[in-house]
């Protein structure tokens, strides 16, 4: 689901610089090993370079999303990625959870349209980033958190005054 990939792009941003520096250090160590097999070293460096390319692309995607979305839409994507629940957003904004849900959904649709225009759909994101451990962990964390935050449907028969056993709004 693209929503989780978008959240992963936002969440991974703070670790990208460190990950790129670690990859650079690994590539330097491999390249400077005088006793290593040249072909094996070149293969390792190529694999690490490809991984770094994908991480740099994540930074580019982050900045493209940030620039393309309105301030309100970007703020919604960021707060959702940071873990703010619909209930917390509704309380902060003074509106219903349904209104917040619709606004979040529209923000993520706009973000998805930006990524689609750049050629990144869910399949490509999975192919490019599903094999990178950090990306996979953040994506799975977004999925798990979304499931945990899913509230039971609101069922209340207000006309009869029956509220016991039902989720409150």
């Amino acid at each position: 689901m693209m929503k989780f990939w978008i959240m992963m792009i936002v969440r991974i941003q703070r670790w990208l610089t460190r990950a790129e520096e670690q990859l650079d250090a690994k590539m330097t160590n491999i390249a400077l090993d005088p006793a290593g097999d040249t072909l094996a070293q070149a293969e390792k460096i190529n694999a690490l370079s490809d991984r770094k390319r994908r991480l740099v692309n994540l930074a580019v995607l982050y900045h493209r999303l940030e620039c393309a979305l309105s301030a309100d839409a970007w703020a919604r994507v960021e707060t959702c990625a940071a873990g703010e629940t619909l209930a917390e957003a509704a309380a902060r904004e003074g509106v219903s959870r349904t209104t917040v849900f619709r606004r979040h959904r529209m923000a993520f649709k706009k973000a998805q349209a930006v990524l689609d225009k750049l050629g990144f759909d869910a399949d490509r994101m999975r192919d490019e980033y599903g094999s990178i451990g950090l990306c996979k962990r953040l994506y799975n964390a977004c999925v798990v958190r979304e499931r945990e935050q899913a509230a039971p449907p609101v069922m209340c028969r207000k006309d009869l005054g029956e509220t016991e056993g039902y989720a409150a709004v």
Side-chain angles (χ1 to χ4, degrees):
M1 181 178 222
M2 269 315 274
K3 176 181 179 179
F4 301 125
W5 287 114
I6 293 166
M7 290 168 62
M8 183 277 300
I9 291 169
V10 173
R11 292 185 68 189
I12 200 170
Q13 182 61 29
R14 68 178 122 169
W15 290 294
L16 286 179
T17 304
R18 183 173 176 214
E20 291 169 16
E21 289 171 356
Q22 289 174 344
L23 287 173
D24 283 337
K26 283 182 183 180
M27 286 189 282
T28 302
N29 288 340
I30 292 170
L32 296 178
D33 182 14
D37 177 29
T38 305
L39 291 177
Q41 286 175 313
E43 287 177 7
K44 289 178 185 177
I45 290 173
N46 282 338
L48 291 173
S49 294
D50 182 58
R51 188 173 178 173
K52 183 177 178 181
R53 175 195 57 82
R54 291 185 283 166
L55 292 177
V56 169
N57 282 347
L58 281 175
V60 171
L61 291 176
Y62 176 88
H63 290 293
R64 289 285 183 100
L65 286 171
E66 184 179 26
C67 292
L69 297 178
S70 67
D72 181 57
W74 180 245
R76 289 184 185 287
V77 169
E78 279 191 313
T79 57
C80 187
E84 184 178 61
T85 65
L86 293 176
E88 292 168 344
R92 180 176 46 82
E93 295 178 26
V95 296
S96 71
R97 284 188 348 196
T98 305
T99 301
V100 171
F101 174 78
R102 280 196 317 267
R103 291 175 181 170
H104 275 68
R105 186 178 62 203
M106 291 305 298
F108 277 98
K109 279 185 177 183
K110 290 175 184 176
Q112 183 175 349
V114 170
L115 293 179
D116 285 343
K117 189 174 181 181
L118 296 171
F120 285 90
D121 61 355
D123 292 332
R124 182 166 179 202
M125 292 296 292
R126 185 181 57 249
D127 293 343
E128 288 273 329
Y129 303 106
S131 62
I132 298 176
L134 180 59
C135 296
K136 191 181 339 181
R137 284 192 302 275
L138 288 174
Y139 177 87
N140 290 335
C142 292
V143 171
V144 168
R145 193 181 72 234
E146 184 83 8
R147 286 183 188 152
E148 290 172 351
Q149 291 179 3
V154 177
M155 297 180 195
C156 183
R157 295 177 60 186
K158 292 180 182 177
D159 55 328
L160 298 176
E162 297 177 16
T163 59
E164 187 174 326
Y166 297 99
V169 179

